[in-house]
Amino acid sequence: MASTITDLVSVRQTAPSLFESVHNPGKMGNMADVAYGGNTLAVAVNAALQTTPFGFFLYSAVGNYLGPAFTDRQLQCAVREVRTTKTFATRHVEMSQVQKDGKRRLCLFLSADFQTAEPATLLTYSRPPRMVYSAVEDCLSVDENRQSILEHGLASQQVVQMHKVLFGLSERFFDRRPCPEGIITQTLTGMAKKGTPTTQDHLPLTSKTSSDYFRSKHPLGTPAQHATALAFVMDMGTSFLPLVHNGQSLDEAAAQSSLDFALRIFTNDVDLNAWSLREMSTVTGGDGRTYTEMQVWNSDGKMLCNMTQQSILRPKMRKAAKI
């Protein structure tokens, strides 16, 4: 079992431009043996990084989840060099898994862009978070928040334990402190009792936010290690956030899963050894899809990155009444 986030998303080269994950991917937010999307994305980013010259920094990772990856087998990555110039590099990654019939099935496509450090910058600015959140030292840990929800009678011991199992993967590798102002914090990711009130009930769905502070539990060294850890954590919660912010539970949908991703990194100085603030909100939804975004800031208020995703969100079909 992987002991650090760097270990979990590590890859080894098996042939020219071919890599495989050292470990099987883990699952999170799903009881089925389906890999957490952030795990697959981080492995794909790491594979792309293995073919990129020293001194290039990841600034864009966009692509599609093409189908579920499974937790009982490794991930295979085929990397194609699209360009490598003095300033920019682009890599395409096709991720697949070998099925039980021996055939390969694609599960992710990634286009990753890298740039060398610029000698100077003309403008430096960042939009602040949508609201003022509690300081990290005033926030409970994830476990403490679960206990608070339990003690206030908002969820049963069984539900609290299920939440711990569902989201345990991230807690193995990251310290997280959910902000008390966020809806996910107040509703235990939608698993608290139906109708649990929040401090944002008066706001329209697109104005509601959830937020937390996070940092790696284990020291990260190289920019590549920080980039892959960031890719891992930035997929967390995007597909079910609209449900939770709408006062619904995760089991009220027939299907909820990310379809695509666009991770954009705005600085070469990502430091996940320090606390970062993450804010999540949903923008629009319809035709069975939702569009959600999250941003991350460091302690100086500098925005580090942005993730946007479209996700499938299908309602459960009602069975026709029988006469």
Side-chain angles (χ1 to χ4, degrees), residues 172-201:
R172 281 171 51 194
F173 305 113
F174 292 91
D175 287 321
R176 290 181 49 232
R177 294 191 182 179
C179 299
E181 297 82 3
I183 295 176
I184 282 180
T185 307
Q186 298 173 28
T187 65
L188 196 64
T189 324
M191 296 177 69
K193 291 179 179 178
K194 186 74 173 178
T196 295
T198 77
T199 57
Q200 298 185 43
D201 287 343

Side-chain angles (χ1 to χ4, degrees), residues 106-285:
L106 291 175
C107 52
L108 180 147
F109 172 78
L110 166 71
S111 180
D113 288 289
F114 306 84
Q115 184 182 5
T116 57
E118 290 289 314
T121 184
L122 181 61
L123 293 175
T124 300
Y125 58 95
S126 290
R127 175 181 71 77
R130 294 186 179 211
M131 70 167 66
V132 177
Y133 297 103
S134 298
V136 62
E137 56 268 19
D138 296 325
C139 297
L140 301 177
S141 69
V142 176
D143 262 336
E144 290 170 338
N145 184 63
R146 276 194 287 253
Q147 186 62 30
S148 177
I149 291 284
L150 178 64
E151 291 174 354
H152 284 84
L154 300 177
S156 66
Q157 181 65 56
Q158 182 180 8
V159 168
V160 167
Q161 183 59 34
M162 184 181 297
H163 184 276
K164 189 172 185 176
V165 171
L166 278 173
F167 300 101
L169 183 67
S170 68
E171 293 170 41
R172 281 171 51 194
F173 305 113
F174 292 91
D175 287 321
R176 290 181 49 232
R177 294 191 182 179
C179 299
E181 297 82 3
I183 295 176
I184 282 180
T185 307
Q186 298 173 28
T187 65
L188 196 64
T189 324
M191 296 177 69
K193 291 179 179 178
K194 186 74 173 178
T196 295
T198 77
T199 57
Q200 298 185 43
D201 287 343
H202 63 288
L203 296 175
L205 179 58
T206 53
S207 296
K208 296 178 179 180
T209 66
S210 288
S211 56
D212 64 359
Y213 294 93
F214 67 93
R215 66 181 179 187
S216 176
K217 282 188 172 181
H218 312 98
L220 301 172
T222 66
Q225 290 175 351
H226 287 276
T228 53
L230 187 64
F232 178 94
V233 81
M234 289 305 290
D235 182 74
M236 199 180 302
T238 48
S239 64
F240 57 72
L241 186 83
L243 271 180
V244 177
H245 280 192
N246 200 43
Q248 296 174 269
S249 61
L250 306 189
D251 60 4
E252 291 188 52
Q256 48 182 314
S257 181
S258 300
L259 298 172
D260 60 22
F261 52 86
L263 172 62
R264 293 183 171 90
I265 302 174
F266 307 128
T267 176
N268 299 335
D269 299 319
V270 173
D271 181 8
L272 297 194
N273 295 318
W275 288 111
S276 297
L277 172 67
R278 174 174 49 184
E279 182 182 71
M280 298 165 274
S281 61
T282 190
V283 179
T284 187

Side-chain angles (χ1 to χ4, degrees), residues 62-99:
V62 301
N64 301 85
Y65 295 111
L66 303 175
F70 300 104
T71 59
D72 62 350
R73 65 204 72 175
Q74 292 164 291
L75 302 163
Q76 315 294 326
C77 296
V79 182
R80 183 166 74 91
E81 180 181 350
V82 177
R83 65 168 172 172
T84 302
T85 69
K86 288 183 178 181
T87 305
F88 295 101
T90 300
R91 300 292 185 268
H92 284 176
V93 181
E94 291 186 352
M95 175 178 284
S96 63
Q97 285 184 317
V98 178
Q99 305 303 294

